[in-house]
């Protein structure tokens, strides 16, 4: 169960080795979170992430989860919800952080449609499947938050990353609609739209204006949970920037250095 400030006692991360997700998990563990499930493709990085959270005092476990294997989601995630948290919270997952995603390589993917499809299937189809499975389980509990890592890239398609951007646009629209569908059920859906975040996903790329860090995203997620926000921009001023970008004529947008 969440505390009076909206901080979860148990957390399920989809994309368990994501740097943004781990910064968020560390922050929440420092507050009140006791059980953390890291769902992801088995790897030394996933195991190391769980170990790091255990060192901070959490009961951290890993579970094999592949966003692309939609047929397995009901069973894999169903088991996590069946086991849930520990102690007085047994059976509950208070928060799901949907953090998996791939950036792809725009130039390469334009020439290799199957690579582009992999980006779309991971970021959109995988999220639709896992998101609906988790939403159903949260609804059965009658409470909990589903926090979805969208992106400013989904706000307006751009030449430089329209394959990734379109997958995030789909994810963002899906998550907003799901939030409306769950309104009044006790389940809260929060869409998080970060700009450029310095993580392994963006390593080697030139930072965009207003570039930020995983810990800044984690802080914004915590604040959003406390406020029960439906939409969070990170950093906050991106909301104003993107409201201008949203209405920019396409010839202007094509010349923007981002
Ligand atoms: N970094 C940014 O600038 C930025 C900005 C806005 C939004 N975001 C979004 O924030 C989320 C987290 O990104 P990040 O920066 O933390 O990147 P990251 O550290 O590269 O994390 C991405 C995560 O996605 C997982 N993943 C990829 N394909 C998967 C699959 N088929 N099944 C299960 N897990 C899979 C990766 O697992 P593996 O270890 O198995 O590869 C990794 O845990 C992503 O959705 C991203 O699109 C990032």
């Amino acid at each position: 169960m969440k505390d009076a400030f909206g901080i979860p006692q148990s957390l399920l991360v989809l994309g368990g080795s994501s740097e943004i997700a781990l910064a968020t998990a560390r922050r929440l563990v420092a507050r009140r979170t006791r059980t953390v499930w890291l769902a992801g493709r088995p790897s030394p990085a996933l195991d190391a992430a769980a170990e790091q959270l255990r060192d901070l005092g959490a009961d951290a476990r890993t579970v094999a989860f592949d966003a692309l294997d939609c047929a397995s989601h009901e069973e894999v995630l169903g088991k996590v919800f069946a086991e849930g948290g520990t102690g007085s919270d047994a059976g509950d997952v208070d928060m799901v952080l949907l953090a998996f995603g791939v950036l792809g390589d725009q130039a390469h993917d334009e020439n290799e449609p199957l690579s582009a499809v992999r980006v779309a299937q991971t970021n959109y189809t995988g999220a639709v499947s896992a998101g609906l499975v988790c939403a159903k389980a949260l609804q059965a509990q009658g409470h909990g938050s589903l926090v979805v890592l969208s992106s400013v890239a989904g706000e307006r398609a751009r030449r430089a990353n329209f394959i990734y951007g379109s997958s995030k646009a789909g994810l963002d629209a899906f998550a907003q609609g799901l939030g409306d569908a769950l309104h009044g059920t006790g389940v809260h859906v929060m869409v998080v739209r970060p700009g450029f975040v310095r993580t392994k996903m963006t390593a080697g790329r030139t930072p965009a204006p207003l570039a930020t860090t995983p810990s800044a995203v984690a802080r914004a997620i915590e604040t959003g949970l406390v406020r029960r926000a439906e939409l969070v921009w990170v950093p906050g001023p991106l909301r104003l920037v993107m409201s201008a970008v949203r209405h920019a004529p396409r010839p202007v947008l094509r010349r923007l250095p981002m």
Side-chain angles (χ1 to χ4, degrees):
M1 195 57 83
K2 288 187 192 173
D3 68 8
F5 302 103
I7 304 299
Q9 191 156 335
S10 53
L11 166 68
L12 164 61
V13 177
L14 307 181
S17 63
S18 143
E19 284 186 49
I20 294 176
L22 291 172
T24 306
R26 282 194 299 273
R27 190 173 180 94
L28 295 176
V29 166
R31 298 287 182 269
R32 178 178 185 265
T33 305
R34 287 295 157 259
T35 307
V36 183
W37 290 89
L38 297 179
R41 296 181 290 195
S43 69
L46 190 68
D47 293 337
E51 190 60 46
Q52 198 188 85
L53 292 171
R54 281 194 285 272
D55 287 346
L56 296 174
D59 174 7
R61 314 162 195 189
T62 60
V63 56
F65 164 82
D66 187 341
L68 290 168
D69 185 8
C70 295
S72 72
H73 290 175
E74 199 122 35
E75 189 188 341
V76 168
L77 301 174
K79 278 187 188 150
V80 174
F81 274 89
E83 227 172 297
T86 51
S88 61
D89 238 10
D92 283 358
V93 172
D94 300 328
M95 171 177 160
V96 178
L97 177 56
L98 198 158
F100 59 79
V102 287
L103 190 54
D105 176 337
Q106 176 74 29
H108 172 266
D109 296 348
E110 280 179 34
N111 288 312
E112 296 286 345
L114 285 179
S115 296
V117 165
R118 198 174 169 82
V119 173
Q121 287 185 333
T122 304
N123 296 351
Y124 180 66
T125 316
V128 168
S129 168
L132 288 174
V133 168
C134 290
K136 200 162 125 191
L138 290 169
Q139 214 180 336
Q141 290 180 176
H143 71 97
S145 290
L146 173 61
V147 178
V148 177
L149 291 183
S150 175
S151 170
V152 293
E155 184 69 12
R156 186 82 198 264
R158 286 181 299 112
R159 170 68 190 95
N161 70 352
F162 66 83
I163 295 173
Y164 173 77
S166 63
S167 71
K168 287 296 190 182
L171 169 67
D172 197 291
F174 166 76
Q176 287 186 62
L178 186 60
D180 290 339
L182 294 175
H183 188 74
T185 65
V187 180
H188 159 232
V189 178
M190 182 165 90
V191 176
V192 181
R193 290 187 191 149
F196 186 106
V197 187
R198 293 185 180 87
T199 66
K200 60 182 185 292
M201 180 178 274
T202 54
R205 294 177 188 250
T206 309
L210 297 177
T212 188
T213 60
S215 50
V217 182
R219 194 164 50 241
I221 288 175
E222 184 189 348
T223 307
L225 284 173
V226 171
R227 293 187 184 151
R228 234 176 141 75
E230 292 182 325
L231 177 61
V232 172
W233 294 85
V234 198
L238 265 181
R239 185 175 69 85
L240 286 175
V241 174
M242 292 311 291
S243 68
V245 170
R246 188 183 309 135
H247 301 292
R250 283 172 63 183
V252 172
L253 199 67
R254 280 196 281 270
R255 287 197 296 273
L256 282 182
M258 49 187 280

